[in-house]
Amino acid sequence: MTEQQQASVPPKGVRRPAPGPKWMATDLYTLSHLDPPTAHNSAILKSTLANSLDQDLPAIYSSRAFAKFLALQAKAIDTKHCLEVGTLGGFASIWLASENPNLKVTTLEYNPHHVEVARENIANAGLSDRITVHVGPAMETLSAVLSDIDAGRLPKFDMVYVDADKENNWNYFDAAIKGCRKGAVVIVDNVVQGGLIASEDKPIDYPEYVAGARKVIENAGKDERVTATVIQTVGEGSHDGFLFAVVK
Ligand SMILES: C[S@@+](CC[C@H](N)C(=O)[O-])C[C@H]1O[C@@H](n2cnc3c(N)ncnc32)[C@H](O)[C@@H]1O
């Protein structure tokens, strides 16, 4: 191992190592070609992030390339109804709906300030008729949404994106599947945690995030309702990854 490589190895127990310069440069290069400022939704997404920052929301939105991946995945399976758990300022929701004109998003958020900013961003994007934000702890609002699906007031989910309190990953996954159609895709973000899921190193912070990531991976592996894999990612969002499951 060279000195430079040694210097780039993060200290033990770090869940979110600083993004390597090559990861960042690669994201910037690919985004500049595949998601240029002339893209149809570029101005809306830029102002969503700027307004969220201005109103003190934490910068924990999905990375730009990953949010577009979600929107393209929704397009690939002709998603009409997508559930998002964890809205923040609405960045991923706005990506999903702005890229897919026939898609409706149901998104769940418990922080009233995040909800207020998200609704403002969604209205500015002209998407209030297709993105519905439910306020409250997601296990409670999800239960109400599932009742609406059972009663036929809402269509089943074609796609689910879980990105909230990581300790509840499995609870959201398990509950959301009950509202999914066969062939639906369920994506759970941040399940790699800088590789700590496969390490004996103790996380220096948020050990419950690592535990929540392991729990959803281990339970999904035993769950007859789905088939799943995990894809690791690096980039502006550090070293992490997502669980990708298809409902049988
Ligand atoms: C990582 S952010 C979501 C980012 C968003 N998906 C995006 O890409 O723009 C996680 C969000 O989940 C919310 N959250 C955390 N625990 C929650 C809970 N129990 N119920 C509902 N929302 C929750 C947080 O307030 C935060 O806004």
Side-chain angles (χ1 to χ4, degrees):
M1 190 185 272
T2 67
E3 227 169 76
Q4 200 180 3
Q5 280 170 327
Q6 258 170 351
S8 69
V9 173
K12 278 186 170 186
V14 168
R15 294 180 309 106
R16 304 200 67 77
K22 271 197 185 160
W23 309 352
M24 293 298 287
T26 303
D27 263 357
L28 291 175
Y29 164 76
T30 57
L31 286 166
S32 74
H33 286 280
L34 301 173
D35 201 22
T38 49
H40 67 97
N41 52 1
S42 180
I44 285 166
L45 292 161
K46 218 172 155 187
S47 75
T48 295
L49 293 184
N51 187 41
S52 303
L53 203 65
D54 280 354
Q55 302 210 41
D56 293 326
L57 262 56
I60 53 171
Y61 50 85
S62 304
S63 74
R64 292 173 292 171
F66 187 59
K68 184 167 185 182
F69 166 77
L70 295 171
L72 296 183
Q73 175 60 46
K75 195 187 284 295
I77 61 164
D78 194 22
T79 299
K80 301 281 192 307
H81 188 199
C82 179
L83 169 73
E84 177 186 43
V85 185
T87 314
L88 192 64
F91 182 63
S93 288
I94 291 173
W95 244 121
L96 283 157
S98 61
E99 187 68 22
N100 296 287
N102 297 320
L103 167 59
K104 290 195 171 161
V105 182
T106 297
T107 181
L108 315 178
E109 174 59 57
Y110 77 160
N111 181 312
H113 180 54
H114 295 185
V115 171
E116 193 186 321
V117 176
R119 286 188 173 145
E120 197 176 294
N121 288 333
I122 291 163
N124 288 341
L127 293 169
S128 304
D129 56 334
R130 291 196 290 116
I131 303 176
T132 307
V133 188
H134 293 266
V135 198
M139 279 312 290
E140 289 172 24
T141 49
L142 178 54
S143 163
V145 171
L146 289 171
S147 300
D148 281 347
I149 291 176
D150 277 349
R153 290 187 288 271
L154 278 175
K156 288 191 166 185
F157 305 129
D158 306 290
M159 185 166 152
V160 173
Y161 177 42
V162 176
D163 186 26
D165 45 332
K166 309 303 171 188
E167 55 273 40
N168 269 316
N169 279 339
W170 169 250
N171 294 332
Y172 298 137
F173 185 98
D174 181 42
I177 286 176
K178 295 171 187 143
C180 282
R181 68 152 162 95
K182 188 175 182 304
V185 164
V186 182
I187 294 174
V188 184
D189 203 8
N190 308 123
V191 297
V192 170
Q193 298 284 315
L196 286 189
I197 53 164
S199 163
E200 287 177 7
D201 295 346
K202 283 209 168 28
I204 57 175
D205 61 1
Y206 299 104
E208 68 277 18
Y209 287 16
V210 176
R214 286 180 177 145
K215 187 169 179 183
V216 71
I217 292 167
E218 291 168 22
N219 285 356
K222 290 181 248 168
D223 193 325
E224 296 288 334
R225 299 170 298 174
V226 295
T227 179
T229 189
V230 166
I231 301 295
Q232 298 188 64
T233 53
V234 294
E236 61 183 9
S238 187
H239 171 209
D240 213 317
F242 60 94
L243 181 136
F244 184 99
V246 176
V247 179
K248 292 185 202 165

